[in-house]
Protein backbone atom coordinates (compact mmCIF):
# COMPACT_ATOMS: atom_id res chain seq x y z
CA UNK A 1 0.00 0.00 0.00
CA UNK A 2 2.90 2.31 0.78
CA UNK A 3 4.41 1.61 -2.65
CA UNK A 4 1.25 2.87 -4.36
CA UNK A 5 1.19 6.08 -2.27
CA UNK A 6 4.87 6.76 -2.97
CA UNK A 7 4.58 6.17 -6.74
CA UNK A 8 5.21 9.29 -8.79
CA UNK A 9 2.99 9.66 -11.87
CA UNK A 10 4.49 11.22 -14.98
CA UNK A 11 2.80 12.59 -18.10
CA UNK A 12 3.55 9.47 -20.19
CA UNK A 13 1.51 7.29 -17.86
CA UNK A 14 -1.73 8.68 -19.33
CA UNK A 15 -2.96 9.00 -22.92
CA UNK A 16 -6.16 10.46 -24.31
CA UNK A 17 -8.71 7.96 -25.57
CA UNK A 18 -9.52 10.22 -28.53
CA UNK A 19 -7.93 13.09 -30.34
CA UNK A 20 -8.68 16.31 -28.52
CA UNK A 21 -9.87 17.93 -31.75
CA UNK A 22 -12.05 15.00 -32.78
CA UNK A 23 -15.78 15.37 -32.24
CA UNK A 24 -17.33 12.57 -30.30
CA UNK A 25 -20.93 11.61 -31.09
CA UNK A 26 -23.17 9.34 -29.11
CA UNK A 27 -24.33 6.27 -31.02
CA UNK A 28 -28.09 5.99 -31.26
CA UNK A 29 -29.79 2.69 -32.02
CA UNK A 30 -33.22 2.60 -33.59
CA UNK A 31 -35.70 0.76 -31.42
CA UNK A 32 -37.24 -2.19 -33.24
CA UNK A 33 -40.14 -4.42 -32.33
CA UNK A 34 -39.79 -8.12 -31.61
CA UNK A 35 -41.61 -9.07 -34.79
CA UNK A 36 -39.31 -6.86 -36.85
CA UNK A 37 -36.31 -8.60 -35.30
CA UNK A 38 -37.88 -11.96 -36.12
CA UNK A 39 -38.47 -10.94 -39.74
CA UNK A 40 -34.93 -9.60 -40.05
CA UNK A 41 -33.52 -12.85 -38.70
CA UNK A 42 -35.78 -14.92 -40.94
CA UNK A 43 -34.59 -13.08 -44.06
CA UNK A 44 -31.00 -14.04 -43.29
CA UNK A 45 -31.86 -17.72 -43.71
CA UNK A 46 -31.67 -18.30 -47.47
CA UNK A 47 -33.04 -21.82 -47.19
CA UNK A 48 -36.14 -20.55 -45.37
CA UNK A 49 -36.71 -17.87 -48.03
CA UNK A 50 -36.41 -20.43 -50.83
CA UNK A 51 -38.77 -22.75 -48.98
CA UNK A 52 -41.29 -19.93 -48.52
CA UNK A 53 -41.19 -19.02 -52.22
CA UNK A 54 -41.75 -22.65 -53.24
CA UNK A 55 -44.65 -22.98 -50.79
CA UNK A 56 -46.30 -19.83 -52.18
CA UNK A 57 -45.87 -21.01 -55.78
CA UNK A 58 -47.25 -24.48 -55.07
CA UNK A 59 -50.17 -23.01 -53.08
CA UNK A 60 -51.08 -20.66 -55.94
CA UNK A 61 -50.88 -23.51 -58.44
CA UNK A 62 -53.07 -25.65 -56.17
CA UNK A 63 -55.66 -22.87 -56.09
CA UNK A 64 -55.64 -21.84 -59.76
CA UNK A 65 -53.93 -24.75 -61.54
CA UNK A 66 -57.07 -26.91 -62.01
CA UNK A 67 -58.64 -24.03 -63.98
CA UNK A 68 -55.80 -23.66 -66.51
CA UNK A 69 -57.53 -25.95 -69.00
CA UNK A 70 -60.98 -27.29 -69.77
CA UNK A 71 -60.36 -30.70 -68.20
CA UNK A 72 -61.46 -31.45 -64.66
CA UNK A 73 -59.88 -33.88 -62.23
CA UNK A 74 -62.56 -36.45 -63.16
CA UNK A 75 -62.71 -35.96 -66.96
CA UNK A 76 -62.06 -39.32 -68.65
CA UNK A 77 -61.04 -39.72 -72.30
CA UNK A 78 -60.12 -43.36 -72.84
CA UNK A 79 -58.50 -42.64 -76.23
CA UNK A 80 -55.97 -40.38 -74.44
CA UNK A 81 -54.95 -43.02 -71.90
CA UNK A 82 -51.30 -42.87 -70.78
CA UNK A 83 -50.30 -40.07 -73.17
CA UNK A 84 -46.87 -38.69 -72.28
CA UNK A 85 -46.26 -34.99 -71.50
CA UNK A 86 -46.45 -32.56 -74.41
CA UNK A 87 -45.91 -28.79 -74.04
CA UNK A 88 -46.43 -26.46 -77.05
CA UNK A 89 -43.24 -24.38 -76.90
CA UNK A 90 -40.81 -26.92 -75.47
CA UNK A 91 -41.68 -29.62 -78.01
CA UNK A 92 -39.75 -27.63 -80.65
CA UNK A 93 -36.56 -28.34 -78.66
CA UNK A 94 -37.24 -32.05 -78.33
CA UNK A 95 -38.36 -31.67 -74.70
CA UNK A 96 -41.83 -32.82 -73.64
CA UNK A 97 -42.62 -33.48 -77.28
CA UNK A 98 -45.15 -36.26 -76.73
CA UNK A 99 -42.84 -39.18 -77.50
CA UNK A 100 -42.66 -42.46 -75.62
CA UNK A 101 -39.58 -44.61 -76.27
CA UNK A 102 -39.01 -42.75 -79.55
CA UNK A 103 -42.63 -43.04 -80.74
CA UNK A 104 -44.82 -39.97 -81.19
CA UNK A 105 -47.99 -40.98 -79.32
CA UNK A 106 -49.98 -37.91 -80.35
CA UNK A 107 -50.20 -38.93 -84.01
CA UNK A 108 -54.02 -39.06 -83.89
CA UNK A 109 -54.32 -36.09 -81.49
CA UNK A 110 -52.04 -33.45 -82.99
CA UNK A 111 -54.03 -30.57 -81.47
CA UNK A 112 -54.03 -32.10 -77.97
CA UNK A 113 -51.55 -31.09 -75.27
CA UNK A 114 -51.10 -32.57 -71.80
CA UNK A 115 -48.45 -30.68 -69.82
CA UNK A 116 -47.97 -33.53 -67.33
CA UNK A 117 -49.38 -36.24 -69.58
CA UNK A 118 -52.48 -38.35 -68.98
CA UNK A 119 -53.06 -41.27 -66.63
CA UNK A 120 -54.23 -44.77 -67.53
CA UNK A 121 -57.86 -43.57 -67.80
CA UNK A 122 -57.04 -40.58 -69.98
CA UNK A 123 -57.40 -37.97 -67.22
CA UNK A 124 -55.29 -34.82 -67.35
CA UNK A 125 -52.47 -35.26 -64.84
CA UNK A 126 -51.74 -31.53 -64.62
CA UNK A 127 -55.26 -30.87 -63.33
CA UNK A 128 -55.24 -33.90 -61.05
CA UNK A 129 -51.85 -33.11 -59.54
CA UNK A 130 -52.87 -29.60 -58.51
CA UNK A 131 -56.31 -30.73 -57.38
CA UNK A 132 -54.57 -33.40 -55.29
CA UNK A 133 -52.14 -30.84 -53.91
CA UNK A 134 -55.11 -28.76 -52.82
CA UNK A 135 -56.46 -31.72 -50.84
CA UNK A 136 -53.07 -32.36 -49.24
CA UNK A 137 -52.70 -28.69 -48.26
CA UNK A 138 -56.19 -28.63 -46.76
CA UNK A 139 -55.28 -31.60 -44.57
CA UNK A 140 -51.92 -30.04 -43.68
CA UNK A 141 -53.36 -26.69 -42.58
CA UNK A 142 -56.17 -28.49 -40.75
CA UNK A 143 -53.41 -30.25 -38.79
CA UNK A 144 -51.98 -26.85 -37.83
CA UNK A 145 -55.37 -25.64 -36.59
CA UNK A 146 -55.81 -28.85 -34.60
CA UNK A 147 -52.35 -28.41 -33.08
CA UNK A 148 -53.04 -24.83 -32.04
CA UNK A 149 -56.63 -25.08 -30.81
CA UNK A 150 -56.43 -28.53 -29.20
CA UNK A 151 -52.82 -29.45 -28.53
CA UNK A 152 -51.62 -26.02 -27.43
CA UNK A 153 -54.60 -25.30 -25.14
CA UNK A 154 -54.54 -28.80 -23.66
CA UNK A 155 -50.80 -28.66 -22.93
CA UNK A 156 -50.91 -25.14 -21.46
CA UNK A 157 -53.78 -25.96 -19.11
CA UNK A 158 -52.12 -29.22 -18.03
CA UNK A 159 -48.75 -27.60 -17.39
CA UNK A 160 -50.12 -24.52 -15.61
CA UNK A 161 -52.38 -26.23 -13.08
CA UNK A 162 -50.08 -29.21 -12.47
CA UNK A 163 -50.75 -31.67 -9.68
CA UNK A 164 -53.63 -34.09 -10.02
CA UNK A 165 -55.09 -32.25 -13.02
CA UNK A 166 -51.79 -32.56 -14.87
CA UNK A 167 -51.48 -36.24 -13.99
CA UNK A 168 -54.98 -37.10 -15.23
CA UNK A 169 -54.62 -35.09 -18.44
CA UNK A 170 -51.25 -36.64 -19.23
CA UNK A 171 -52.48 -40.20 -18.63
CA UNK A 172 -55.39 -39.53 -21.00
CA UNK A 173 -52.99 -38.18 -23.64
CA UNK A 174 -50.74 -41.23 -23.24
CA UNK A 175 -53.67 -43.57 -23.82
CA UNK A 176 -54.58 -41.75 -27.05
CA UNK A 177 -50.95 -41.67 -28.14
CA UNK A 178 -50.75 -45.43 -27.73
CA UNK A 179 -53.36 -45.94 -30.47
CA UNK A 180 -51.72 -46.05 -33.94
CA UNK A 181 -53.09 -43.52 -36.41
CA UNK A 182 -53.57 -46.26 -39.00
CA UNK A 183 -55.86 -48.15 -36.62
CA UNK A 184 -57.85 -44.98 -35.90
CA UNK A 185 -58.35 -44.23 -39.60
CA UNK A 186 -59.30 -47.84 -40.35
CA UNK A 187 -61.93 -47.83 -37.60
CA UNK A 188 -63.23 -44.46 -38.75
CA UNK A 189 -63.49 -45.87 -42.26
CA UNK A 190 -66.06 -48.33 -40.90
CA UNK A 191 -68.15 -45.49 -39.51
CA UNK A 192 -67.44 -42.60 -41.88
CA UNK A 193 -66.96 -42.56 -45.62
CA UNK A 194 -63.23 -42.58 -46.55
CA UNK A 195 -62.13 -39.09 -47.45
CA UNK A 196 -60.74 -35.81 -46.20
CA UNK A 197 -63.15 -35.67 -43.27
CA UNK A 198 -62.08 -39.03 -41.85
CA UNK A 199 -58.38 -38.14 -42.12
CA UNK A 200 -58.92 -34.79 -40.38
CA UNK A 201 -61.00 -36.51 -37.70
CA UNK A 202 -58.19 -39.02 -37.14
CA UNK A 203 -55.73 -36.15 -36.73
CA UNK A 204 -58.09 -34.60 -34.17
CA UNK A 205 -57.89 -37.78 -32.11
CA UNK A 206 -54.13 -38.36 -32.03
CA UNK A 207 -52.35 -35.72 -34.15
CA UNK A 208 -52.18 -33.04 -31.44
CA UNK A 209 -50.18 -35.06 -28.89
CA UNK A 210 -46.69 -33.76 -29.90
CA UNK A 211 -47.90 -30.15 -29.72
CA UNK A 212 -49.45 -30.80 -26.31
CA UNK A 213 -46.13 -32.02 -24.95
CA UNK A 214 -44.22 -29.03 -26.30
CA UNK A 215 -46.76 -26.54 -24.92
CA UNK A 216 -46.77 -28.23 -21.50
CA UNK A 217 -42.97 -28.23 -21.31
CA UNK A 218 -42.80 -24.54 -22.20
CA UNK A 219 -45.43 -23.64 -19.58
CA UNK A 220 -43.58 -25.60 -16.89
CA UNK A 221 -40.47 -23.61 -17.78
CA UNK A 222 -42.01 -20.14 -17.48
CA UNK A 223 -44.91 -20.42 -15.03
CA UNK A 224 -42.68 -19.56 -12.05
CA UNK A 225 -41.24 -16.46 -13.69
CA UNK A 226 -41.60 -13.08 -11.99
CA UNK A 227 -44.18 -11.68 -14.41
CA UNK A 228 -46.48 -14.65 -13.76
CA UNK A 229 -46.12 -14.25 -10.00
CA UNK A 230 -46.79 -10.52 -10.37
CA UNK A 231 -49.99 -11.21 -12.31
CA UNK A 232 -51.14 -13.64 -9.60
CA UNK A 233 -50.37 -11.07 -6.91
CA UNK A 234 -52.45 -8.46 -8.73
CA UNK A 235 -55.41 -10.85 -8.75
CA UNK A 236 -55.42 -11.99 -12.39
CA UNK A 237 -57.48 -15.11 -13.06
CA UNK A 238 -55.79 -18.32 -14.10
CA UNK A 239 -56.96 -18.43 -17.71
CA UNK A 240 -56.10 -14.75 -18.17
CA UNK A 241 -52.58 -15.53 -16.97
CA UNK A 242 -52.35 -18.53 -19.32
CA UNK A 243 -53.45 -16.74 -22.47
CA UNK A 244 -52.34 -13.17 -21.78
CA UNK A 245 -49.07 -13.60 -19.88
CA UNK A 246 -47.69 -17.06 -20.70
CA UNK A 247 -48.87 -17.60 -24.28
CA UNK A 248 -47.06 -14.57 -25.82
CA UNK A 249 -43.79 -15.81 -24.30
CA UNK A 250 -44.04 -19.32 -25.72
CA UNK A 251 -45.82 -18.48 -28.97
CA UNK A 252 -42.62 -18.70 -31.01
CA UNK A 253 -41.97 -22.31 -29.99
CA UNK A 254 -45.64 -23.17 -30.56
CA UNK A 255 -45.65 -21.76 -34.10
CA UNK A 256 -42.41 -23.55 -34.97
CA UNK A 257 -43.77 -26.88 -33.71
CA UNK A 258 -47.00 -26.41 -35.67
CA UNK A 259 -45.02 -25.72 -38.85
CA UNK A 260 -43.05 -28.93 -38.38
CA UNK A 261 -46.37 -30.81 -38.09
CA UNK A 262 -47.33 -29.84 -41.67
CA UNK A 263 -44.87 -32.20 -43.42
CA UNK A 264 -45.92 -34.95 -41.02
CA UNK A 265 -49.60 -34.41 -41.89
CA UNK A 266 -48.85 -34.39 -45.63
CA UNK A 267 -46.87 -37.60 -45.29
CA UNK A 268 -49.63 -39.21 -43.21
CA UNK A 269 -52.23 -38.34 -45.84
CA UNK A 270 -49.99 -39.61 -48.65
CA UNK A 271 -49.32 -42.84 -46.77
CA UNK A 272 -53.00 -43.45 -46.02
CA UNK A 273 -54.00 -42.70 -49.61
CA UNK A 274 -51.26 -44.99 -50.88
CA UNK A 275 -52.68 -47.76 -48.65
CA UNK A 276 -56.18 -47.12 -50.02
CA UNK A 277 -57.51 -45.46 -46.85
CA UNK A 278 -57.42 -41.89 -48.16
CA UNK A 279 -59.68 -39.92 -50.46
CA UNK A 280 -61.89 -42.10 -52.71
CA UNK A 281 -61.98 -41.97 -56.50
CA UNK A 282 -62.43 -39.84 -58.52
CA UNK A 283 -61.01 -37.41 -55.96
CA UNK A 284 -57.25 -37.10 -56.03
CA UNK A 285 -54.53 -36.43 -53.51
CA UNK A 286 -50.78 -36.63 -53.86
CA UNK A 287 -50.77 -39.98 -52.09
CA UNK A 288 -53.47 -41.50 -54.31
CA UNK A 289 -51.71 -40.19 -57.43
CA UNK A 290 -48.46 -41.81 -56.32
CA UNK A 291 -50.35 -45.04 -55.67
CA UNK A 292 -51.89 -44.96 -59.16
CA UNK A 293 -48.58 -44.13 -60.81
CA UNK A 294 -46.74 -46.89 -58.96
CA UNK A 295 -48.81 -49.49 -60.79
CA UNK A 296 -47.53 -48.21 -64.16
CA UNK A 297 -44.02 -47.26 -63.10
CA UNK A 298 -42.11 -49.34 -65.65
CA UNK A 299 -44.35 -48.54 -68.64
CA UNK A 300 -45.39 -44.93 -68.01
CA UNK A 301 -43.09 -43.35 -65.39
CA UNK A 302 -44.50 -39.85 -66.03
CA UNK A 303 -47.70 -40.80 -64.14
CA UNK A 304 -45.81 -41.09 -60.84
CA UNK A 305 -43.06 -38.54 -61.56
CA UNK A 306 -44.96 -35.27 -61.07
CA UNK A 307 -46.89 -36.18 -57.89
CA UNK A 308 -43.61 -37.38 -56.33
CA UNK A 309 -41.83 -34.13 -57.29
CA UNK A 310 -44.60 -31.94 -55.84
CA UNK A 311 -44.80 -34.05 -52.69
CA UNK A 312 -41.02 -33.91 -52.19
CA UNK A 313 -40.94 -30.14 -52.78
CA UNK A 314 -43.71 -29.61 -50.24
CA UNK A 315 -42.00 -31.75 -47.59
CA UNK A 316 -38.60 -30.11 -48.05
CA UNK A 317 -40.00 -26.55 -48.33
CA UNK A 318 -42.06 -26.78 -45.14
CA UNK A 319 -39.08 -28.21 -43.28
CA UNK A 320 -36.88 -25.33 -44.50
CA UNK A 321 -39.60 -22.83 -43.58
CA UNK A 322 -40.02 -24.31 -40.10
CA UNK A 323 -36.25 -24.39 -39.59
CA UNK A 324 -36.06 -20.69 -40.49
CA UNK A 325 -38.89 -19.86 -38.08
CA UNK A 326 -37.15 -21.78 -35.29
CA UNK A 327 -33.97 -19.75 -35.72
CA UNK A 328 -35.87 -16.48 -36.11
CA UNK A 329 -37.95 -16.92 -32.94
CA UNK A 330 -34.96 -18.04 -30.88
CA UNK A 331 -34.07 -15.05 -28.65
CA UNK A 332 -30.40 -16.10 -28.69
CA UNK A 333 -30.39 -15.68 -32.50
CA UNK A 334 -32.01 -12.25 -32.60
CA UNK A 335 -29.85 -9.26 -33.60
CA UNK A 336 -26.98 -11.51 -34.70
Amino acid sequence: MSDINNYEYVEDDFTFAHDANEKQLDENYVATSYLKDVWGNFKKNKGAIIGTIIIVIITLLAIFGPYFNESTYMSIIIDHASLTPRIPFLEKFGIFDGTNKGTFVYENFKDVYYWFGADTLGRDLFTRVWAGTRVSLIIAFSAVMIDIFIGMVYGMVSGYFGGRIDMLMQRFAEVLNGIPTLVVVTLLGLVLQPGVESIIFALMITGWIPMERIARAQVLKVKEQEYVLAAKTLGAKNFMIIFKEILPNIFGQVIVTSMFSIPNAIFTEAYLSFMGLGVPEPLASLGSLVSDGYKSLTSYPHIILYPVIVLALLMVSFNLFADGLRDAFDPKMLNK
Side-chain angles (χ1 to χ4, degrees):
M1 194 71 171
S2 59
D3 292 339
I4 297 176
N5 293 330
N6 295 331
Y7 183 81
E8 294 183 3
Y9 294 96
V10 297
E11 186 176 352
D12 294 338
D13 289 338
F14 302 94
T15 57
F16 289 102
H18 303 282
D19 188 353
N21 297 322
E22 181 182 355
K23 293 183 179 180
Q24 301 298 317
L25 298 176
D26 292 334
E27 294 185 11
N28 295 322
Y29 296 93
V30 179
T32 59
S33 65
Y34 177 70
L35 290 179
K36 192 171 181 180
D37 284 337
V38 169
W39 171 240
N41 233 28
F42 183 80
K43 289 191 297 183
K44 296 177 183 177
N45 192 322
K46 295 181 180 179
I49 295 297
I50 293 173
T52 304
I53 293 172
I54 294 175
I55 291 170
V56 171
I57 292 174
I58 291 179
T59 302
L60 291 175
L61 286 171
I63 295 172
F64 301 108
Y67 305 111
F68 283 1
N69 53 49
E70 297 179 356
S71 301
T72 66
Y73 67 88
M74 63 178 70
S75 300
I76 297 177
I77 305 177
I78 296 298
D79 292 339
H80 296 175
S82 304
L83 290 178
T84 54
R86 185 186 181 197
I87 301 176
F89 178 73
L90 295 179
E91 66 177 345
K92 298 178 181 179
F93 302 95
I95 306 173
F96 301 112
D97 55 357
T99 60
N100 184 22
K101 299 179 181 178
T103 303
F104 183 63
V105 296
Y106 285 80
E107 188 64 38
N108 298 325
F109 319 104
K110 293 185 178 180
D111 295 331
V112 175
Y113 291 92
Y114 287 108
W115 293 357
F116 286 179
D119 65 7
T120 53
L121 295 178
R123 295 175 294 192
D124 182 18
L125 274 176
F126 182 85
T127 302
R128 286 181 63 77
V129 164
W130 298 123
T133 304
R134 183 186 298 176
V135 172
S136 297
L137 289 175
I138 289 173
I139 293 174
F141 288 112
S142 298
V144 173
M145 295 297 103
I146 292 169
D147 274 354
I148 292 176
F149 290 105
I150 298 179
M152 182 190 73
V153 175
Y154 191 97
M156 291 178 64
V157 171
S158 176
Y160 179 80
F161 287 102
R164 183 173 297 178
I165 294 177
D166 181 46
M167 183 188 68
L168 293 175
M169 293 179 73
Q170 290 308 303
R171 298 298 82 76
F172 177 73
E174 289 174 4
V175 170
L176 290 181
N177 192 44
I179 305 175
T181 304
L182 184 60
V183 174
V184 174
V185 176
T186 304
L187 293 176
L188 288 176
L190 301 176
V191 180
L192 304 175
Q193 291 294 329
V196 177
E197 295 82 4
S198 61
I199 296 176
I200 293 176
F201 198 72
L203 292 175
M204 290 179 63
I205 295 176
T206 60
W208 51 270
I209 303 296
M211 170 62 78
E212 179 270 333
R213 290 175 174 173
I214 295 295
R216 176 177 176 270
Q218 293 296 322
V219 172
L220 291 175
K221 185 189 299 184
V222 303
K223 74 175 185 177
E224 301 298 334
Q225 296 291 326
E226 289 79 1
Y227 61 87
V228 177
L229 296 176
K232 290 181 180 179
T233 303
L234 293 173
K237 296 182 179 179
N238 290 326
F239 283 96
M240 181 176 291
I241 294 174
I242 292 174
F243 294 105
K244 190 175 180 180
E245 301 295 338
I246 296 178
L247 178 58
N249 289 279
I250 68 171
F251 193 67
Q253 290 79 5
V254 168
I255 289 295
V256 170
T257 304
S258 64
M259 289 298 103
F260 275 115
S261 70
I262 291 180
N264 183 54
I266 293 175
F267 178 79
T268 300
E269 182 278 324
Y271 170 73
L272 293 174
S273 295
F274 186 83
M275 297 295 293
L277 299 173
V279 295
E281 291 285 351
L283 290 174
S285 70
L286 292 177
S288 63
L289 291 172
V290 171
S291 178
D292 292 341
Y294 177 76
K295 302 170 186 176
S296 307
L297 177 61
T298 56
S299 302
Y300 306 104
H302 70 276
I303 297 178
I304 194 175
L305 177 63
Y306 298 102
V308 166
I309 290 175
V310 175
L311 180 61
L313 285 175
L314 274 177
M315 299 283 285
V316 172
S317 298
F318 273 113
N319 275 303
L320 290 174
F321 179 72
D323 185 65
L325 278 183
R326 180 187 59 195
D327 293 343
F329 275 107
D330 187 353
K332 293 179 290 186
M333 298 293 296
L334 294 177
N335 296 322
K336 284 191 177 182

